[in-house]
Amino acid sequence: MWIHPEEVLLAGALWVSERANPFFVLQRRRGHGRGGGSPVSLLVGTLDVVLDSSARVAPYRILLQTADSQIYWNIACGSSRKEITEHWDWLEANLLQTISIFDNDEDITTFVKGKISGIIAEENRLKPGEEHEEDSGKFREAELKMRKLFGMPEEEKLVNYYSCSYWKGRVPRQGWLYLSVNHLCFYSFLLGKEVTLVVPWTEVTQLEKNATLLFPESVRVSTRDTEHFFSMFLNINDTFKLMEQLANIAMRQLLDNEAFAADLSLPKPSKTLKNVSALKRDLDARAKNERYRAMFRLTQEERLDGHTDCTLWTPFAKMHVVGQLFISNNYICFSSKEEDLCQLIIPLREVSIVEKADSSSVLPCPVSISTKNKMNFLFANLKDRDFLVQRISDFLQRTPDSSPHGFCSCPQASSAVPPSSSPGSESVQKGRHYHPGLPTAIQDPEKMKEESWNIHFLEFGRGVCMYRTSRTRELVLNGIPERLRGELWLLFSGAQNEMATHPGYYGELVEQAMGLCSLATEEIERDLHRSMPEHRAFQNEMGIAALRRVLTAYAHRNPGIGYCQAMNIVTSVLLLYCTEEEAFWLLVALCERMLPDYYNTRVVGALVDQGVFEELTRSFLPLLYEHMQELGVISTISLSWFLTLFLSVMPFDSAVLLVDCFFYEGIKVIFQVALAVLHDNMDALLSCSDEGEAMTILGRYLDNVVNKQTVAPPIPHPHALLTSGDEPPPEIDVFDLIKSSYEKFGSLRSDVIEQMRFKQRLKVIQSLEDTAKRSVVRAMMTESAFSIEELEELYCLFKSKHMTSCYWGSSSSAAERHDPSLPYLEQYRIDPLQFRQLFVSLAPWVCGGHNPTLSARLFRLLDQNQDGLVNFKEFITGLSGMYHGDMTEKLKLLYKLHLPPGNTAHLYSCLTPDLWSVLEVKDYRYYLRMWAKEKETKRETIKDLPRMNQEQFIELCKTLYNMFSEEALEQQLYHAIATVASLLLRIGEVGKKFNNGTKKRETMPQTSLSAQNPPHSPQGEEEGPGHGASGESEVCRALADAQLEVVAPQMSDEETKDDVSVSSYSVVSAGSLQCEDIAEDTVLIRGSEQRQGSVLDTDWSITFEQVLASMLTEPPLVDYFERKRDIQAKMAACKAQRAVERQISSASDHELTQHST
């Protein structure tokens, strides 16, 4: 390819000149192409790998030279001799004569450089949608190198590459680590020893950064089968973070098939960054966005625009607080460097004025921001104040005006849902809360809490623009007053912002979801009356209806989650303190941000946090951890604790205080309290001898966690009666439990928990995948004769094909192929192209060029629901029949492949008038009878198979001939199948006389007879032989076409009369004994496309029993179909091929063939 001219000082170093003229030199890299095993080539190859030389990818180049200059200019490079020769020929034809008339060498150099730059610019202009335009040339070179070395298609995008050492045994191999979106790849070439490694991210089970004596500061990448160690990184932290991100994307892909999509809205850099790809910038921006959103509880759509150091004037403390200012498309946020000192969130919808204040030595570069509720915020010490004010102004112009009742100025505004949008909810909308248990007179503790919060609001502000300080946390830990609970839950969770920016959204969802019936709505109806049945609010239809609307609306919003058990318990508590719309947005915040993946079909998030809890228990309570692991208690208790936030295991008035803390602190407070519960019961738990005893101890403890400050009458806990003993256990004040959890385990940090979550997510998702594989294998053990190991390996190959379609694209989207709600056997599905690839690699019947046709027929036969996809169960059913069926089963499969639906050419022609009548519209009773018949278990017998016509029989013969082309006993098999074909043709003729004799006699006077049947001949004597000869000649021609040989001359009428049937030898000799595969362009016989001189007999047909009986007469055929075949070798070859075989349509295949020539 043409490249921007680069200076070359030493043109002869490690290069050999192959062509030259007065102005240009074509060079080849030493050791490439010739003498590859010489010491010089090994040394040059090693240097190219270690120094990351471009010559590894492009071993040819063209230099521009002038007579008086010692400097050369590299203007073109090529990966193959053909490519570089095309450039050389173009230079000689178009430039050589022109530049020879120049007098000045400097003018020649300037002219050629300008011409080459113009060619490159024109090529870039003609390339539609160039994605890598902003990537540096060095990086594009590395990406090309990755595709060549590892056989990756263009769809596989390189994110970054690093120089490092790969430890193979105890020997480090210096090379390059390539991190692409879907694979981790490593390449090393040292003095002739080559190391190539490709690990898909979806197979990674553990990523760990460690430092040991043997592996100093290394990264360990673990898969199910092995471990890989990489060290000697220049920046190991940067590399490890990128590995974590890519592994996380892969886990998300396994979890819900969310393939990676580049962020097209990412702003382009002002200048091209050296060795940094657009994807790397994209992933860095995603990581920053995730941290930003988690820190301030913002929605998933929020994107960080930038951040800068500054100070914030805090009027309550009369001081400037040092921290960072964050700007995004909808918010201005501030966080102090000292934790919990001050945090601030200002929605742009509430901003009225942004202005630059007067600068002074005490207050340099200040910016004042005023909100609509008359709050003012003063930021100072801003480095680029003008740019910051301009960015905020730009975002303000795009921000729509907020409604008159904005949330900052009026936090207790009524619901945005119009009364008409929520039928039956008018009584609920009248007040903010419908808590029948609340007393009318506020008692002293509750009143004191309210007064404390009112003072806090006066001092720190109220609503989303409130200053959040350590004082706020103290008030939350002391319990939020009943009347303020809903408002503050909305504020701390971030649900208030989402609700304000989506007015009327909940009402629209309720209307859309009303009347719809799905699996989620059925589960909701089943659980409605199990949601806090002890509470008066849900003992009447009003509360039940509100709960139904909220849960149904969320299931309609997020069908990926739909409904999960425990959502009803949490939502019912939210409804006690909020309106329906507020409860809905709190549920959104819980399910989508605060408890990610908790409520999906496999409760992955809860299982991840269960693993985190086990790890925390091992760190803080090591003695108890060992004992609890033996009993298996932690995994049993933690799931219910986390899924319902203790609401299902603790008295309501106590658990709701933990929910207060959770909305402010996040998941870490749940971990702290769980650890405190175990710590308080450590002695009793250590003395337990079984799981039941430990569960009883913890259950009794949690039942007696009381809230002594509650103002509502106590609500009986459903578990209290089950766990109470003769002596009532001592009561535990919930405030003491919370205080104890902060004192003993308050060192937990949210960022550490996120890091532990990533580690556990890899384990959990891979464990779920292993569970799915074991379930599939167990289910298929009874339906196939493959061993456990073979089924596991086949499952991995099948799943690998499915995953390839997810990240390299296919004819149907990945979401259609993977449905987690289906049984494990049916979750992963492949399309016809992928099925053909597996069929060619694994099937025991090798048919050469006929493979695509046979594969397509088998695919249609297995695709029972006709959705264009085949699941693993269907795939194994077909493969098992080919490998482990007896001769009858194998022949039955072959027979069915040449009938509809396997053979679609005859699908409609085979429908008789009687069958067409079945396709007519029937009433419901007909379908009920059909459904009842389908439910009846009946085994298909050979008598149930339909008859095969002559055209289908010819196709079957073609398939058999191609199957035998690579067999050792090829000639005997050809002779045997020719004998069987002749016999079956005669059988078909005899059967035709019995079945259609009457019909033939009626139509005979109207039919012109051929030479084989003269008018004077009696029909009964010569009709059969004549038609038999015609049919057999048709088989001869079909078989001859399959062998690509010239057909023997037709026999005359006299010869036909003398020899009433073609012998088996004549069938074989007609196409010669040299058999080749069917060519792709072979024309198959159709009813309307008859060959010249031959007529297909539409009345001719045979049964499967006749085919089977005829086959049994030939020992070579019996031996062939009875032979046991081993799939192990084919699976090993297929697995080895996976590293090289990528996408058929990829450009890298073409590149590889070029390099190999």
Side-chain angles (χ1 to χ4, degrees):
M1 63 179 178
W2 302 108
I3 60 175
H4 290 286
E6 301 172 348
E7 270 191 27
V8 177
L9 297 178
L10 298 174
L14 305 179
W15 292 86
V16 179
S17 297
E18 295 201 334
R19 294 188 188 181
N21 59 42
F23 302 101
F24 301 104
V25 181
L26 189 155
Q27 295 185 327
R28 171 180 54 83
R29 190 70 165 176
R30 287 185 184 273
H32 177 78
R34 304 171 191 168
S38 66
V40 174
S41 66
L42 295 180
L43 179 61
V44 172
T46 301
L47 288 173
D48 287 343
V49 170
V50 173
L51 301 178
D52 193 29
S53 170
S54 60
R56 189 76 185 168
V57 178
Y60 297 94
R61 70 180 183 181
I62 297 177
L63 302 180
L64 168 67
Q65 65 173 358
T66 54
D68 299 333
S69 175
Q70 298 297 319
I71 298 176
Y72 293 77
W73 293 90
N74 188 7
I75 60 172
C77 65
S79 58
S80 65
R81 188 181 297 277
K82 179 182 176 182
E83 181 184 2
I84 205 68
T85 303
E86 289 175 356
H87 290 349
W88 177 266
D89 293 342
W90 187 91
L91 289 171
E92 287 189 328
N94 296 280
L95 289 189
L96 196 59
Q97 194 171 8
T98 304
I99 61 178
S100 62
I101 63 175
F102 281 81
D103 297 329
N104 190 344
D105 289 345
E106 193 172 322
D107 292 343
I108 294 174
T109 304
T110 304
F111 175 77
V112 174
K113 288 167 64 177
K115 191 71 175 175
I116 298 301
S117 299
I119 293 172
I120 295 172
E122 183 65 16
E123 286 179 349
N124 291 336
R125 185 183 68 81
L126 294 176
K127 288 179 182 177
E130 183 66 31
E131 298 178 5
H132 297 283
E133 194 61 37
E134 59 186 273
D135 293 341
S136 67
K138 186 72 175 173
F139 186 85
R140 290 199 296 272
E141 187 180 286
E143 189 167 44
L144 180 62
K145 189 183 304 182
M146 178 200 74
R147 289 176 185 162
K148 175 193 170 184
L149 292 173
F150 307 106
M152 298 290 180
E154 287 188 1
E155 292 87 351
E156 186 68 4
K157 306 299 183 185
L158 178 65
V159 180
N160 213 349
Y161 63 105
Y162 303 91
S163 173
C164 69
S165 291
Y166 170 58
W167 292 79
K168 195 168 184 181
R170 296 189 177 184
V171 180
R173 300 294 181 91
Q174 184 66 28
W176 291 88
L177 180 70
Y178 298 88
L179 303 181
S180 69
V181 173
N182 302 296
H183 296 88
L184 177 151
C185 307
F186 177 83
Y187 181 79
S188 173
F189 182 86
L190 294 177
L191 300 177
K193 291 190 176 181
E194 189 176 44
V195 176
T196 304
L197 175 71
V198 178
V199 180
W201 290 115
T202 50
E203 294 182 8
V204 173
T205 57
Q206 189 173 2
L207 271 179
E208 196 172 13
K209 183 175 63 176
N210 51 21
T212 62
L213 186 62
L214 183 59
F215 304 112
E217 201 172 29
S218 63
V219 174
R220 182 177 69 178
V221 181
S222 302
T223 64
R224 291 179 178 84
D225 304 321
T226 184
E227 293 182 341
H228 307 283
F229 290 89
F230 302 92
S231 63
M232 303 293 288
F233 291 97
L234 291 176
N235 188 345
I236 192 170
N237 292 326
D238 179 58
T239 308
F240 187 70
K241 285 180 181 177
L242 181 57
M243 285 181 169
E244 284 186 328
Q245 274 188 288
L246 294 171
N248 233 339
I249 292 171
M251 293 306 105
R252 177 59 56 187
Q253 197 176 75
L254 286 174
L255 184 59
D256 51 20
N257 266 55
E258 283 187 9
F260 177 80
D263 187 356
L264 301 178
S265 64
L266 193 69
K268 292 189 175 182
S270 55
K271 62 179 181 179
T272 301
L273 302 175
K274 186 178 180 182
N275 295 348
V276 177
S277 68
L279 279 178
K280 178 67 166 62
R281 289 180 52 243
D282 183 356
L283 290 171
D284 289 344
R286 290 179 189 224
K288 290 178 181 177
N289 287 335
E290 287 173 6
R291 288 194 296 269
Y292 169 64
R293 291 193 293 257
M295 185 185 300
F296 299 104
R297 305 277 171 78
L298 302 178
T299 61
Q300 297 294 331
E301 296 79 22
E302 204 62 28
R303 298 183 180 181
L304 180 64
D305 187 68
H307 59 91
T308 182
D309 293 335
C310 69
T311 59
L312 170 66
W313 171 253
T314 52
F316 54 87
K318 303 294 188 291
M319 61 181 288
H320 292 279
V321 175
V322 179
Q324 281 191 318
L325 182 69
F326 300 84
I327 308 293
S328 62
N329 44 339
N330 292 301
Y331 297 91
I332 300 170
C333 302
F334 174 85
S335 180
S336 60
K337 288 194 173 179
E338 184 180 343
E339 191 177 6
D340 292 332
L341 186 59
C342 182
Q343 193 183 71
L344 182 66
I345 301 173
I346 308 173
L348 289 179
R349 67 179 184 274
E350 296 297 334
V351 173
S352 57
I353 300 173
V354 178
E355 56 185 352
K356 292 180 280 190
D358 295 333
S359 188
S360 65
S361 58
V362 180
L363 205 63
C365 301
V367 170
S368 174
I369 298 177
S370 302
T371 63
K372 295 176 182 177
N373 65 336
K374 310 303 181 187
M375 292 184 72
N376 295 312
F377 305 96
L378 188 63
F379 299 93
N381 290 285
L382 295 163
K383 292 180 181 178
D384 197 345
R385 180 175 64 165
D386 295 338
F387 177 75
L388 178 70
V389 172
Q390 183 60 44
R391 290 300 293 166
I392 296 175
S393 300
D394 292 342
F395 283 128
L396 278 172
Q397 290 177 0
R398 304 174 201 165
T399 304
D401 293 335
S402 60
S403 56
H405 47 275
F407 279 88
C408 264
S409 54
C410 185
Q412 292 183 337
S414 60
S415 170
V417 182
S420 60
S421 65
S422 299
S425 61
E426 291 83 354
S427 57
V428 177
Q429 300 288 343
K430 289 179 182 177
R432 184 173 181 82
H433 320 293
Y434 61 102
H435 194 326
L438 287 178
T440 53
I442 303 298
Q443 297 180 8
D444 288 343
E446 194 71 10
K447 187 174 182 181
M448 289 173 60
K449 287 182 187 178
E450 287 190 23
E451 288 301 321
S452 298
W453 276 99
N454 288 330
I455 295 171
H456 183 274
F457 291 148
L458 290 173
E459 190 173 356
F460 297 93
R462 188 168 186 173
V464 290
C465 298
M466 177 179 72
Y467 292 97
R468 307 177 193 200
T469 66
S470 55
R471 175 63 181 154
T472 313
R473 173 193 270 184
E474 291 175 11
L475 289 175
V476 171
L477 296 186
N478 288 328
I480 297 177
E482 300 274 358
R483 295 188 182 278
L484 297 176
R485 185 161 274 148
E487 174 191 340
L488 293 176
W489 282 359
L490 285 166
L491 175 65
F492 296 143
S493 66
Q496 186 166 314
N497 288 317
E498 205 162 3
M499 179 174 165
T501 54
H502 295 81
Y505 177 76
Y506 171 70
E508 294 171 4
L509 275 183
V510 170
E511 286 185 343
Q512 294 168 10
M514 190 177 302
L516 295 180
C517 185
S518 64
L519 179 63
T521 56
E522 291 175 7
E523 292 177 344
I524 289 170
E525 289 298 327
R526 187 174 63 241
D527 287 350
L528 281 176
H529 294 278
R530 305 176 188 172
S531 308
M532 297 189 68
E534 69 280 0
H535 200 286
R536 289 164 52 194
F538 298 100
Q539 293 172 356
N540 57 70
E541 187 53 35
M542 183 181 72
I544 295 295
L547 181 60
R548 177 187 294 112
R549 285 190 292 270
V550 174
L551 291 174
T552 306
Y554 185 78
H556 189 68
R557 166 192 166 88
N558 192 343
I561 291 178
Y563 171 78
C564 173
Q565 284 189 341
M567 285 174 68
N568 60 321
I569 297 174
V570 175
T571 307
S572 59
V573 174
L574 300 178
L575 279 170
L576 293 177
Y577 302 99
C578 308
T579 62
E580 279 184 44
E581 184 180 21
E582 292 167 346
F584 169 79
W585 287 112
L586 279 171
L587 185 62
V588 169
L590 273 173
C591 296
E592 298 175 13
R593 296 198 301 276
M594 301 188 73
L595 296 175
D597 301 323
Y598 258 58
Y599 300 107
N600 58 23
T601 52
R602 295 188 281 182
V603 293
V604 172
L607 293 174
V608 168
D609 281 351
Q610 175 182 297
V612 173
F613 182 54
E614 290 185 9
E615 198 170 338
L616 291 172
T617 306
R618 181 170 55 187
S619 301
F620 289 100
L621 308 169
L623 290 176
L624 183 59
Y625 171 78
E626 295 295 335
H627 187 65
M628 296 282 277
Q629 283 296 99
E630 293 175 6
L631 300 179
V633 175
I634 294 181
S635 59
T636 306
I637 59 174
S638 54
L639 204 59
S640 60
W641 293 3
F642 295 141
L643 272 174
T644 62
L645 304 176
F646 285 97
L647 288 167
S648 63
V649 295
M650 194 180 285
F652 171 76
D653 294 316
S654 303
V656 78
L657 293 174
L658 298 183
V659 178
D660 292 343
C661 300
F662 167 75
F663 278 121
Y664 187 79
E665 292 276 24
I667 192 63
K668 80 169 208 170
V669 73
I670 303 298
F671 285 122
Q672 288 176 188
V673 172
L675 288 170
V677 170
L678 292 185
H679 183 272
D680 288 354
N681 293 276
M682 184 183 294
D683 294 337
L685 291 172
L686 286 174
S687 61
C688 289
S689 57
D690 57 47
E691 179 186 356
E693 188 179 353
M695 294 289 292
T696 302
I697 290 171
L698 291 172
R700 294 184 66 184
Y701 178 89
L702 291 172
D703 286 338
N704 288 279
V705 176
V706 297
N707 178 6
K708 297 181 179 178
Q709 297 181 11
T710 182
V711 296
I715 300 172
H717 194 264
H719 299 152
L721 297 175
L722 299 176
T723 58
S724 58
D726 298 332
E727 298 180 5
E731 292 183 341
I732 301 95
D733 193 340
V734 66
F735 293 103
D736 293 338
L737 178 61
I738 294 173
K739 182 180 178 182
S740 170
S741 73
Y742 273 90
E743 289 175 351
K744 295 171 183 173
F745 310 106
S747 58
L748 274 179
R749 293 172 55 88
S750 298
D751 55 345
V752 175
I753 290 175
E754 284 304 316
Q755 182 66 31
M756 295 170 73
R757 272 179 165 177
F758 163 75
K759 184 178 176 182
Q760 293 298 326
R761 191 175 293 116
L762 288 179
K763 289 183 181 179
V764 167
I765 294 180
Q766 297 292 14
S767 174
L768 289 173
E769 291 296 311
D770 291 341
T771 302
K773 181 170 71 174
R774 287 193 296 270
S775 301
V776 168
V777 169
R778 279 199 304 269
M780 292 306 300
M781 282 296 293
T782 58
E783 299 189 25
S784 74
F786 289 115
S787 67
I788 295 177
E789 294 76 14
E790 289 171 344
L791 282 172
E792 288 181 348
E793 188 61 39
L794 286 170
Y795 178 81
C796 291
L797 291 172
F798 188 89
K799 178 183 166 186
S800 173
K801 281 294 177 189
H802 167 85
M803 297 308 299
T804 301
S805 69
C806 294
Y807 51 70
W808 283 343
S810 186
S811 56
S812 58
S813 67
E816 295 174 354
R817 299 158 173 272
H818 182 68
D819 186 356
S821 64
L822 292 173
Y824 287 129
L825 279 170
E826 304 173 19
Q827 283 188 12
Y828 294 114
R829 294 177 284 177
I830 56 176
D831 62 16
L833 175 62
Q834 296 167 319
F835 181 84
R836 186 177 74 186
Q837 293 169 354
L838 285 176
F839 178 86
V840 171
S841 301
L842 299 173
W845 297 338
V846 180
C847 297
H850 199 55
N851 270 333
T853 304
L854 197 61
S855 167
R857 289 176 177 173
L858 181 58
F859 183 89
R860 289 191 293 268
L861 184 66
L862 297 176
D863 183 16
Q864 297 178 358
N865 57 357
Q866 298 182 358
D867 60 351
L869 298 170
V870 164
N871 60 42
F872 183 70
K873 180 180 180 180
E874 295 165 341
F875 174 73
I876 290 297
T877 301
L879 202 61
S880 181
M882 288 187 282
Y883 271 99
H884 300 293
D886 56 18
M887 182 177 180
T888 303
E889 293 296 323
K890 291 176 182 177
L891 285 176
K892 187 195 296 184
L893 178 59
L894 266 177
Y895 185 87
K896 291 168 71 175
L897 287 180
H898 296 81
L899 299 174
N903 194 350
T904 55
H906 317 286
L907 183 58
Y908 296 108
S909 63
C910 294
L911 289 176
T912 63
D914 294 335
L915 291 175
W916 277 113
S917 64
V918 176
L919 301 181
E920 297 174 3
V921 178
K922 302 290 183 181
D923 62 5
Y924 73 95
R925 287 171 294 184
Y926 169 79
Y927 291 107
L928 284 176
R929 288 194 300 269
M930 293 295 293
W931 178 79
K933 288 181 180 179
E934 287 178 2
K935 291 298 180 183
E936 294 176 3
T937 57
K938 62 175 184 177
R939 185 178 180 85
E940 184 185 54
T941 65
I942 58 177
K943 293 184 179 295
D944 297 327
L945 293 174
R947 301 178 70 88
M948 176 178 281
N949 64 32
Q950 195 174 76
E951 186 176 349
Q952 294 162 353
F953 173 67
I954 293 170
E955 297 294 332
L956 175 61
C957 290
K958 284 185 179 183
T959 301
L960 289 170
Y961 258 65
N962 281 281
M963 284 171 57
F964 304 150
S965 61
E966 297 183 13
E967 289 294 319
L969 301 176
E970 181 180 348
Q971 304 303 330
Q972 292 90 324
L973 288 168
Y974 285 157
H975 192 282
I977 193 60
T979 304
V980 170
S982 176
L983 177 61
L984 286 170
L985 283 169
R986 290 197 296 271
I987 291 174
E989 289 300 325
V990 173
K992 183 178 68 173
K993 285 200 282 186
F994 284 103
N995 294 331
N996 300 324
T998 306
K999 180 180 176 182
K1000 291 294 180 183
R1001 281 192 292 272
E1002 291 174 357
T1003 59
M1004 186 55 62
Q1006 305 168 9
T1007 307
S1008 59
L1009 300 179
S1010 62
Q1012 287 104 337
N1013 191 13
H1016 304 289
S1017 302
Q1019 179 185 349
E1021 293 179 10
E1022 297 187 78
E1023 183 185 0
H1027 283 274
S1030 174
E1032 289 169 333
S1033 64
E1034 189 64 43
V1035 174
C1036 291
R1037 289 196 175 101
L1039 301 181
D1041 285 347
Q1043 300 168 66
L1044 305 178
E1045 294 289 331
V1046 180
V1047 182
Q1050 280 273 2
M1051 292 182 290
S1052 65
D1053 294 349
E1054 289 76 11
E1055 290 172 326
T1056 307
K1057 291 180 182 179
D1058 293 338
D1059 187 10
V1060 294
S1061 65
V1062 182
S1063 68
S1064 61
Y1065 176 77
S1066 66
V1067 174
V1068 178
S1069 61
S1072 92
L1073 290 175
Q1074 281 187 329
C1075 184
E1076 297 176 15
D1077 296 336
I1078 294 179
E1080 291 182 1
D1081 57 350
T1082 299
V1083 179
L1084 300 181
I1085 303 169
R1086 297 289 182 267
S1088 60
E1089 299 176 10
Q1090 298 173 0
R1091 300 172 189 268
Q1092 186 176 1
S1094 62
V1095 179
L1096 284 174
D1097 193 341
T1098 55
D1099 294 327
W1100 185 96
S1101 66
I1102 56 173
T1103 65
F1104 175 72
E1105 293 131 298
Q1106 293 166 344
V1107 173
L1108 177 60
S1110 302
M1111 290 278 192
L1112 289 172
T1113 62
E1114 294 294 326
L1117 292 176
V1118 175
D1119 294 341
Y1120 176 85
F1121 285 105
E1122 289 288 355
R1123 188 191 316 158
K1124 297 297 181 183
R1125 301 176 185 270
D1126 185 17
I1127 198 174
Q1128 292 288 350
K1130 286 186 174 288
M1131 287 194 299
C1134 186
K1135 190 174 181 181
Q1137 191 182 9
R1138 283 169 57 195
V1140 180
E1141 179 204 47
R1142 303 301 176 191
Q1143 199 74 344
I1144 288 180
S1145 60
S1146 70
S1148 60
D1149 292 343
H1150 178 63
E1151 294 167 5
L1152 283 171
T1153 54
Q1154 282 187 339
H1155 289 305
S1156 62
T1157 55

